[in-house]
Amino acid sequence: MSDLLANLNPEQLAAVTLPPQHALILAGAGSGKTRVLTTRIAWLISTGQVGPHGILAVTFTNKAAKEMLARLSAMLPINTRGMWIGTFHGLCNRLLRAHHREAGLPALFQILDSADQLSAIKRLLKNLNVDEEKFPPRELAHFINAHKEQGIRAAQAEVYDDYTRRRVELYAEYDAQCQREGVVDFAELLLRTYELLVRNEPLRRHYQERFRHILVDEFQDTNRLQYAWLKLLAGHDGAEPLANGACLFAVGDDDQSIYAFRGAEVGNMRDLEREFAVKNVIRLEQNYRSHGNILDAANALIKNNRGRLGKNLWTDAGAGEPIRVFEGFSDLDEARFVVDEVRELVRDGFPRNQIALLYRSNAQSRVLEHQLFTASVPYRVYGGLRFFDRQEVKHALAYLRLLANPDDDTAFSRVVNFPTRGIGSRSLEALQEAAHRANSSLYNAAASLSGKAGAAVGNFIRLIETLRAETENLPLPEIIEHLIEKSGLRQHYLAEKEGRERLENLDELINAATSFVQEEGEAASGMAVDPAQTNPVASFLAHASLEAGEHQAGEGQEAVQLMTVHAAKGLEFDVVFITGLEHGLFPHDNSTQERDGLEEERRLMYVAVTRARKRLYLTHAQTRMLHGQTRYCLPSAFFEELPEELLRKVGHAATYAAAPAKSVASPASSARVSRAGSESVGGFRIGQSVQHAKFGQGVIVSSEGRGGDARVQVNFGAHGMKWLALEYAKLTPA
């Protein structure tokens, strides 16, 4: 036991050894929350307070769940394989597999990822002759998912006008189509599970009595339905919690709640504290990641948000380096500075994969990518196309889905003519109309087609039936290998000019299936398991869909990492550049039109700052190309919330400004403005007083360029130094 609790700080120790009561752990960035969660589980089991099967632990990614299981395996001499530790979607999938009849689902129901859901909605609109321009499929998918995440079925949805009424009707039609095909989308997994537990009291009581301790990671990211699901399992299914309900141990950070656009409710933390009468609120404030100046900046920034539960990060690692601030005259200039600094950092020994370039919007990456490419600096855009999202992998999985469930119209539509079999769009339209008239799947409606189309589709049906018969008794990896060969996928990509990489991915899919079979096995050793749970095809397809549904990145080895701030959450790097810190960009324009939008942006900035371990850069530009036009920018309001003593200006903007003695200029940046001279540029000269509509009166201190590229640097006093393009600035002599 002493080894288990060794090296915990006082707050971590208090959280781990709490008595069996509801608890809220406010875990600041880099404060060791995963260690606390895992050690808490190990401590509960080691002290005999609960058995492994009495624990329910919820994470937000499969990676976090696997890490937790790996740590527990190292801590405890027990088999952790049967423990209920996973994501909301993964746990709901497991429960629905075990109780599919009660949930009204087929034993081998399939899971639609976002692309498959969009395809299903497009088919629905086509079958109903609905204009996609009036009801865009993506918007309809968002409408459906948003309602499901609020726990609202079509029958309960509010109708404001005729347009909303039609969308609600389409929501109902979509649900009926999914039920007919035996498929569920991600939002449906949670909603279907919640509804099952609400209406089935014996089942609900079974799980309430089984799970004595419920632990939740990243609680600030839960949406309304996820919180309701947790309350139900914790015995809070009435006005008051059950006296013998489970203990809810929630770990989160309200300062890092940045997913409101996905439905996350930061208010769930306060609701938990009130509704469960939480007496134990423990703050983990000691940070093991960042130096003091970085944490001081983060604390100063986030204190401007109202209604926080409150905490103050600190470290004993020392103050570290000042935060470097760079102002470029354009986004190109900003990117050049960033890449120059990256190259210098690499020369100084920083690994490339420990350098991250963050931005608020994906569109900002282009200019950074261009400069990195030009400078031959290896980089990777974090969150690029993932394995289970790749075209060739999705094709192979569609064949596998059809073997498991021939009524899966989404899988049918994907591969009926891939590789090409002469089945054109008109044949597919005829097939869809026949299926709609008969209220059947495309597979079952194929027999009604005649002529050339009927023969072509019939050949495809026979191919699937042959594959099913030939693979009936084969192991999962051999099933996949067989269908890749017999479906024509391998031959198709062999004939492609650049098909080698796709073939490697298909081979890797076989490897993935082999690993899956070796690592998985029965959900709980020695326990009665529903046959659906032991079906390797259904289990592997569920695994693939759940993996594809996560927002995860590439490997990132020996390459500079580019990503949005949202994608950076949960990651950390030695060096972080936060770029594009300008009004309207970060904080984003949209935040001014949304309730509490600016506070969400500030939390996003807080997340960005706390990704840095050793060195942090904040960069912005005076002008930026947006939508093909030059836009004049003001520095982000967040700069005004950061203590000046923590900042150091770098680059050419500091060279000519009345900067503090601590300011420095990089040689590369200074060289770019060394052309200043006394000659006239665009009718203006060095030392001349000028007037600007926004910045007022100033003095020209430098100039460069000719014609349309001419620009001047002006000292505007209180407004600081500004580089202005003469073609756009409309300066007048003062």
Side-chain angles (χ1 to χ4, degrees), residues 392-415:
E392 59 278 10
V393 174
K394 290 182 76 68
H395 284 328
L397 290 177
Y399 279 104
L400 192 62
R401 284 167 56 176
L402 279 178
L403 295 189
N405 176 16
D407 293 331
D408 187 341
D409 284 358
T410 302
F412 185 100
S413 299
R414 183 177 190 91
V415 294

Side-chain angles (χ1 to χ4, degrees), residues 364-380:
Q364 292 171 249
S365 75
R366 186 199 63 80
V367 66
L368 292 168
E369 290 187 62
H370 177 71
Q371 287 304 312
L372 288 164
F373 176 79
T374 302
S376 299
V377 177
Y379 71 92
R380 178 171 285 107

Side-chain angles (χ1 to χ4, degrees), residues 1 4 39-51 75-78:
M1 188 61 65
L4 194 64
T39 310
R40 170 71 173 175
I41 295 172
W43 184 77
L44 288 170
I45 295 172
S46 297
T47 54
Q49 298 182 59
V50 67
M75 288 179 173
L76 298 173
I78 63 170

Side-chain angles (χ1 to χ4, degrees), residues 371-512:
Q371 287 304 312
L372 288 164
F373 176 79
T374 302
S376 299
V377 177
Y379 71 92
R380 178 171 285 107
V381 179
Y382 186 95
L385 205 59
R386 294 156 291 163
F387 181 76
F388 287 112
D389 285 335
R390 293 169 190 167
Q391 180 202 84
E392 59 278 10
V393 174
K394 290 182 76 68
H395 284 328
L397 290 177
Y399 279 104
L400 192 62
R401 284 167 56 176
L402 279 178
L403 295 189
N405 176 16
D407 293 331
D408 187 341
D409 284 358
T410 302
F412 185 100
S413 299
R414 183 177 190 91
V415 294
V416 65
N417 196 41
F418 193 92
T420 305
R421 299 182 177 87
I423 303 172
S425 57
R426 290 186 179 178
S427 298
L428 285 176
E429 286 176 9
L431 180 59
Q432 288 166 352
E433 289 173 6
H436 183 58
R437 285 195 304 270
N439 195 29
S440 73
S441 66
L442 297 174
Y443 196 95
N444 289 331
S448 65
L449 287 186
S450 59
K452 185 179 178 181
V457 175
N459 287 336
F460 176 72
I461 299 296
R462 283 188 288 277
L463 169 65
I464 299 301
E465 293 295 343
T466 301
L467 286 172
R468 184 178 294 110
E470 292 175 347
T471 60
E472 186 175 1
N473 298 312
L474 293 179
L476 176 64
E478 292 183 28
I479 292 174
I480 295 175
E481 184 175 16
H482 190 78
L483 68 84
I484 289 172
E485 295 290 345
K486 297 298 183 180
S487 66
L489 285 177
R490 185 174 297 279
Q491 195 62 36
H492 172 83
Y493 289 120
L494 277 172
E496 268 197 356
K497 184 179 179 181
E498 298 178 357
R500 180 180 170 184
E501 185 176 343
R502 297 190 186 277
L503 287 171
E504 290 174 351
N505 285 330
L506 289 176
D507 290 335
E508 187 57 34
L509 180 62
I510 299 170
N511 295 338

Side-chain angles (χ1 to χ4, degrees), residues 77-91:
I78 63 170
N79 182 1
T80 61
R81 183 165 294 176
M83 294 182 68
W84 283 60
I85 296 177
T87 63
F88 279 103
H89 293 121
L91 292 170

Side-chain angles (χ1 to χ4, degrees), residues 27-29 220-221 253-258 569 606-607 611:
Q220 78 280 351
D221 292 336
D253 183 1
D254 56 330
D255 291 334
Q256 295 188 73
S257 179
I258 59 172
K569 186 170 181 289
Y606 175 84
V607 166
R611 298 311 93 196

